[in-house]
Amino acid sequence: MIKVCLADNHPVTHFGVKSYFKDHDQISIVANVGNFSMVRDILQTKEIDILILDLELEGLSSIFEVKSILKNFPKTKIVIFSDLAEQMYAPNAIKAGVSGYVHKTEKLETLGHSIVKVHEGKIIINETVRKNMALIAKQSKSERLYRKLSNREIEVLRYLSDGKKNNEISKILNLNEKTISTYKLRLLTKLNVTNLVDLVNKAKTLEII
């Protein structure tokens, strides 16, 4: 059996996933956690083949923390199960080392299929994302701007769009406030805007956030 841990904020998600896989012949949900601090504890005490992880999990502030989990627990593979925009987050998640990305609008059957394929060593992303990535070369310079953003810049942009100030973001990401200011300046430059309002609007237009 493929031993799976589900890390998600929402009890309804835990109930739905656990119920769906209750009698599955290949997948067993052996652990459920509701915040990121519990993920490491579970991985240290249980043998987990696949970690199903929501990028908006409480306590998870950075994709770099996901990379740390993969580094410290190399036998565990990660499948992202999230409702964040696939066009932006799936490619960066794969780049960080996760093995799959399933949007929460997909059927649980798709999640199950992905778990099995990832356990077999394959990389799973939605066909829509694959097509988007294939079309990047054909897009205009404006449409391709989001591809120039680093994982950290995307994170800073996301928090800026939520209305957080530089000092708040610095505490969340455990970075110097001047570093956050530098990322903000880079974002303004890369998205070719001059102020925060236009930055957030441009990001939304390009479906970065």
Side-chain angles (χ1 to χ4, degrees):
M1 295 289 282
I2 304 172
K3 301 179 182 66
V4 174
C5 171
L6 174 63
D8 194 280
N9 291 332
H10 308 293
V12 66
T13 301
H14 285 282
F15 177 79
V17 171
K18 193 169 184 177
S19 297
Y20 181 83
F21 292 108
K22 182 179 180 181
D23 299 316
H24 200 281
D25 60 354
Q26 291 180 276
I27 298 169
S28 175
I29 307 298
V30 299
N32 296 77
V33 298
N35 61 68
F36 191 68
S37 64
M38 296 173 66
V39 170
R40 197 174 291 271
D41 293 337
I42 286 294
L43 294 180
Q44 289 175 336
T45 57
K46 287 191 176 184
E47 183 180 333
I48 302 296
D49 298 311
I50 307 288
L51 171 65
I52 306 300
L53 178 68
D54 188 344
L55 288 177
E56 295 185 292
L57 181 68
E58 180 182 347
L60 175 59
S61 61
S62 168
I63 193 68
F64 293 95
E65 292 179 304
V66 176
K67 293 176 72 172
S68 176
I69 288 292
L70 289 166
K71 179 180 179 180
N72 291 313
F73 302 94
K75 293 183 179 180
T76 300
K77 296 178 181 178
I78 295 178
V79 172
I80 300 300
F81 189 47
S82 177
D83 58 10
L84 290 175
E86 291 174 275
Q87 182 175 343
M88 171 49 56
Y89 289 92
N92 282 277
I94 298 299
K95 182 180 178 181
V98 307
S99 298
Y101 193 108
V102 179
H103 198 271
K104 283 189 173 180
T105 55
E106 295 286 351
K107 296 179 180 179
L108 287 177
E109 180 183 0
T110 300
L111 177 62
H113 173 77
S114 300
I115 290 171
V116 173
K117 292 300 181 183
V118 164
H119 189 252
E120 293 173 350
K122 298 180 180 179
I123 302 297
I124 301 297
I125 56 176
N126 188 279
E127 185 60 29
T128 301
V129 176
R130 291 185 186 277
K131 290 179 179 179
N132 286 340
M133 294 172 69
L135 289 173
I136 287 172
K138 299 179 181 179
Q139 293 176 338
S140 67
K141 181 178 179 181
S142 175
E143 291 172 320
R144 286 187 281 111
L145 280 173
Y146 76 89
R147 294 295 298 169
K148 297 181 180 180
L149 304 184
S150 67
N151 288 332
R152 185 67 85 187
E153 288 167 345
I154 294 168
E155 290 170 347
V156 172
L157 179 56
R158 180 180 167 194
Y159 288 121
L160 287 171
S161 70
D162 287 339
K164 289 183 169 55
K165 305 298 182 183
N166 288 10
N167 63 328
E168 295 177 299
I169 300 173
S170 68
K171 292 177 181 178
I172 293 172
L173 298 180
N174 195 28
L175 295 172
N176 187 285
E177 189 173 343
K178 290 183 178 180
T179 302
I180 301 301
S181 296
T182 299
Y183 281 122
K184 183 177 178 180
L185 180 59
R186 289 179 184 173
L187 286 165
L188 290 169
T189 300
K190 289 185 177 183
L191 293 185
N192 195 29
V193 293
T194 58
N195 59 73
L196 181 58
V197 173
D198 288 344
L199 177 66
V200 173
N201 288 335
K202 186 70 169 289
K204 289 179 178 178
T205 298
L206 297 176
E207 297 184 348
I208 297 174
I209 55 176

